Amino acid sequence: MNTTPLLRTVPVAALTLLAATGCGGTGVQNDAAARGEAAEGYPVTVENCGREITVESAPKRIVGLSPAQTELLVRLGVADRLVGQAQTAMHELPEDVAADASEVPELSTDAPPAREQLLDVQPDAVVAPTEYEFTAEQGFATIDQLTDAGVTTYVAAGGCPERRSTGEVTDLFTDLEALGSIFGVPAAADELVAETRGDLEAVEKAVQDRPQPKVAQLFVEGKTLSAIGAGVEYDMIERAGGENVFSPDEELFSQFFSAVVSPEEVAARNPDAIVFAVREESEAGRVEAYLRKTFPDVTAVKEDRFISLRTPDTFPGTLGNVTAVRTIAEGLHPDAF
């Protein structure tokens, strides 16, 4: 990630223009409000990361600050309102979504857009996976700055700081319902929730009452080994019919959903299966080779029970969360599908 600090002063001209044209944030003036009228179905208020977000009419200039959020917006039917997409190198969009987003300007590739890049497209709403995308020290526009400029900001429920260690796969439904309300597409949101919830419930039903294999979910970066013991990733294991050998109740995970661990610690817990996430499929072989070399006597290695996930499918607020549950369940209980 780019950590070079940029100027922290928001361009006055950009803020003035946004305040004049935006229609997403609390107190923003729009045509209907200027006439003392309320847009049909509005105002709408939703809770997000401990804040109340109120919109007076449907935002018309939207930015998705990661591919997962861009996908949600396209599938909700607001692709024609997108004026920017960001962190596009994080992962590819599904083919059908990519086609609909092909003309949407790319604001950044490997990191969130700098403050000026975001403000230049004059958004009235931005949707992000976490609050990191609004870190002043990284040169990004803050939530307060955007709100002052009349821009609605929405963060994936599972990406809220207070939720990161207790998040669940079903937080995705909270996001879909909130976004459906904010953008005036509740029917599309309800349809997507019903479809996705059905997929999740089908997996849970398939593995119900089956013996739960012990699972370690690990992240390998160079020579550093981390275990995941909380958050939406933990919930994925449980819904897929597994028992995580690491637990949110442990001191290791009192501050964060993952923690650096020693190989000896993992070996002592002797998981029946190991789940890991990789950004590119080509990385899976490298991770498996490391695991075979490091844990030759662990049951998961002896029985060749490795389950590889796409890293993007583990991010908060993505339809891929449900895909990941199915992938894990099929790896743990292949005869159930």
Side-chain angles (χ1 to χ4, degrees):
M1 307 295 281
N2 180 13
T3 58
T4 304
L6 301 177
L7 293 175
R8 298 188 183 184
T9 304
V10 179
V12 174
L15 287 177
T16 301
L17 183 57
L18 278 170
T21 60
C23 62
T26 303
V28 175
Q29 295 297 313
N30 52 62
D31 292 341
R35 296 191 302 270
E37 304 170 1
E40 186 176 355
Y42 291 84
V44 166
T45 298
V46 301
E47 285 202 15
N48 182 235
C49 295
R51 302 176 294 122
E52 279 197 349
I53 299 173
T54 299
V55 292
E56 302 294 340
S57 64
K60 297 178 180 177
R61 298 183 61 81
I62 311 166
V63 173
L65 288 180
S66 85
Q69 277 59 51
T70 298
E71 179 183 359
L72 288 187
L73 293 165
V74 170
R75 295 203 185 282
L76 286 172
V78 298
D80 59 334
R81 295 189 238 166
L82 289 172
V83 296
Q85 56 181 319
Q87 302 192 81
T88 54
M90 187 180 285
H91 64 90
E92 293 183 356
L93 291 169
E95 287 186 12
D96 57 331
V97 173
D100 287 334
S102 61
E103 301 300 319
V104 178
E106 183 181 279
L107 306 185
S108 66
T109 55
D110 296 318
R115 183 181 299 114
E116 291 79 5
Q117 291 173 302
L118 180 57
L119 293 173
D120 279 349
V121 297
Q122 303 171 29
D124 57 17
V126 296
V127 184
T130 68
E131 288 196 355
Y132 170 77
E133 279 73 17
F134 306 106
T135 307
E137 290 76 13
Q138 299 293 334
F140 312 144
T142 69
I143 290 175
D144 286 345
Q145 289 170 339
L146 291 169
T147 299
D148 289 345
V151 183
T152 295
T153 59
Y154 184 87
V155 176
C160 297
E162 69 276 10
R163 188 72 177 156
R164 193 61 186 96
S165 292
T166 58
E168 299 178 0
V169 174
T170 51
D171 287 340
L172 170 64
F173 306 142
T174 299
D175 294 330
L176 288 170
E177 290 167 357
L179 294 174
S181 295
I182 290 170
F183 296 116
V185 288
D190 289 346
E191 184 177 342
L192 199 50
V193 167
E195 178 184 344
T196 310
R197 192 187 295 277
D199 291 343
L200 182 62
E201 290 176 350
V203 174
E204 293 174 333
K205 184 177 180 180
V207 301
Q208 189 175 11
D209 299 327
R210 287 175 170 265
Q212 294 184 321
K214 295 188 299 179
V215 181
Q217 188 168 2
L218 306 176
F219 179 69
V220 180
E221 185 173 23
K223 296 182 179 180
T224 302
L225 181 67
S226 297
I228 294 173
V232 65
E233 295 87 347
Y234 179 88
D235 189 49
M236 288 175 184
I237 299 296
E238 186 172 7
R239 291 179 185 274
E243 179 186 354
N244 200 320
V245 297
F246 294 96
S247 166
D249 298 330
E250 297 182 55
E251 182 63 27
L252 269 175
F253 307 104
S254 61
Q255 301 297 320
F256 200 52
F257 72 98
S258 67
V260 175
V261 295
S262 67
E264 292 75 16
E265 183 66 38
V266 175
R269 304 195 186 206
N270 192 31
D272 301 313
I274 295 176
V275 173
F276 62 89
V278 291
R279 186 165 171 173
E280 302 289 344
E281 189 59 36
S282 59
E283 297 176 21
R286 174 186 60 79
V287 175
E288 283 193 22
Y290 166 85
L291 296 173
R292 293 183 192 282
K293 180 179 179 180
T294 307
F295 303 112
D297 298 321
V298 166
T299 300
V301 175
K302 288 181 177 180
E303 297 183 358
D304 199 32
R305 299 187 77 181
F306 300 117
I307 303 171
S308 172
L309 303 177
R310 294 173 66 250
T311 298
D313 289 343
T314 67
F315 295 159
T318 171
L319 294 167
N321 290 171
V322 175
T323 302
V325 172
R326 174 173 286 275
T327 300
I328 296 168
E330 290 176 346
L332 297 180
H333 307 281
D335 58 334
F337 296 93

